[in-house]
């Protein structure tokens, strides 16, 4: 199976976690796009979605799925999103699509995070994938120096030769050279550096379940 087929497989499998009559939290990315397409087949049995990015909102809306503002709804039963890396405890790196801040907000609003990923995303230790960090531009160089002191190399993510601007009007640093053995501590520490909006380590908002797409089918990992 191709990676794209594995993404479609887990996107479809995630439908079993959607609670009829409720609002579902929806992440961002190519795997989530497969989930959104599958969700459209049951749109009449859900109330709608809370979305984690403008891109997902556009896709949901185009398919006729109502999108609610996160401030207008209470706790969600489930949040479904992909990951760039996931370890054996359900800790993840996210933000390859630059939507990490809103993803963390919707994840925090949800009782259960269901991660959908193909098996290439499974790792022993987080950090091979560059850790995305959303920063307020004024703080960029200071945060770059703080990562250097930790042994990491942080680079501003570019789009068309210019710093990429997130849905929140901020920039993204991608940090290489870190092996994140203590994700909870790492997330807590980096999150309190002035100018950091969100670090793309999801340890406090980890996955409860991962639907992993493998050549043998969907493996369900419970954490
Ligand atoms: C976006 C994310 C995505 O979930 C992550 O990048 C995985 O994306 P894909 O499903 O395209 O591999 O965190 O900010």
């Amino acid at each position: 199976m191709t990676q794209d087929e594995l993404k479609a497989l887990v996107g479809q499998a995630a439908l079993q976690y959607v609670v009829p009559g409720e609002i579902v939290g929806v992440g961002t990315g190519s795997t989530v796009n497969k989930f959104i397409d599958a969700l459209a087949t049951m749109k009449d049995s859900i109330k709608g979605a809370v979305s984690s990015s403008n891109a997902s909102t556009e896709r949901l809306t185009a398919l006729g799925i109502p999108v609610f503002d996160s401030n207008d709804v209470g706790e969600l039963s489930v949040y479904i999103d992909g990951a760039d890396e996931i370890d054996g405890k359900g800790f993840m790196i996210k933000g390859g699509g630059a939507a990490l801040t809103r993803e963390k907000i919707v994840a925090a609003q949800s009782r259960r995070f269901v991660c959908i990923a193909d098996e290439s995303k499974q790792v022993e230790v987080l950090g091979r994938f560059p850790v995305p960090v959303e920063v307020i531009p004024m703080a960029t160089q200071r945060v770059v120096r703080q990562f250097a002191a930790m042994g990491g190399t942080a680079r501003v993510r570019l789009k068309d030769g210019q710093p990429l601007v997130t849905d929140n009007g901020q920039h993204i640093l991608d940090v290489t050279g870190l092996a994140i053995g203590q994700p909870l501590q790492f997330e807590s520490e980096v999150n309190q550096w002035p100018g950091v909006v969100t670090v793309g380590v999801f340890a406090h908002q980890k996955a409860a379940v991962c639907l992993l797409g493998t050549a043998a089918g969907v493996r369900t990992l419970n954490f």
Side-chain angles (χ1 to χ4, degrees), residues 15-212:
L15 290 185
Q16 66 190 292
Y17 290 89
V18 175
V19 183
E22 292 197 7
I23 296 171
V24 57
V26 174
T28 298
S30 57
T31 315
V32 165
N33 283 345
K34 304 288 188 192
F35 167 66
I36 294 174
D37 294 347
L39 190 64
T41 64
M42 61 174 287
K43 66 179 176 196
D44 294 333
S45 50
I46 59 166
K47 230 166 140 182
V50 171
S51 166
S52 62
S53 63
N54 294 341
S56 288
T57 298
E58 272 175 33
R59 197 176 187 96
L60 288 158
T61 307
L63 289 167
I65 300 170
V67 176
F68 292 84
D69 188 300
S70 59
N71 287 305
D72 294 337
V73 303
E75 191 182 56
L76 307 175
S77 52
V78 68
Y79 175 64
I80 295 174
D81 197 359
D84 298 302
E85 286 186 350
I86 182 161
D87 73 8
K89 291 188 172 152
F91 298 142
M92 296 166 286
I93 289 180
K94 291 185 45 53
L100 62 163
T101 297
R102 295 188 189 191
E103 291 172 343
K104 211 174 262 193
I105 291 169
V106 188
Q109 190 173 352
S110 307
R111 276 199 297 284
R112 188 143 79 143
F113 189 136
V114 175
C115 174
I116 50 176
D118 65 84
E119 61 190 343
S120 70
K121 308 293 183 67
Q122 204 177 25
V123 297
E124 289 281 322
V125 178
L126 300 177
R128 198 183 57 221
F129 188 92
V131 181
V133 184
E134 185 163 2
V135 289
I136 291 171
M138 180 187 173
T140 297
Q141 290 312 319
R142 193 169 169 280
V143 174
V144 167
R145 288 194 291 276
Q146 285 195 270
F147 277 116
M150 248 187 189
T153 304
R155 292 189 182 82
V156 177
R157 192 182 299 182
L158 301 179
K159 188 180 176 193
D160 303 326
Q162 295 299 317
L164 176 145
V165 178
T166 68
D167 287 354
N168 310 307
Q170 311 302 337
H171 291 174
I172 297 281
L173 287 174
D174 290 306
V175 189
T176 54
L178 301 173
I180 303 169
Q182 305 285 337
L184 285 162
Q185 288 88 331
F186 179 87
E187 182 182 4
S188 298
E189 180 182 347
V190 176
N191 257 344
Q192 48 87 30
W193 293 351
V196 168
V197 180
T198 304
V199 58
V201 167
F202 282 53
H204 293 283
Q205 268 76 45
K206 70 174 196 141
V209 178
C210 179
L211 302 177
L212 201 66

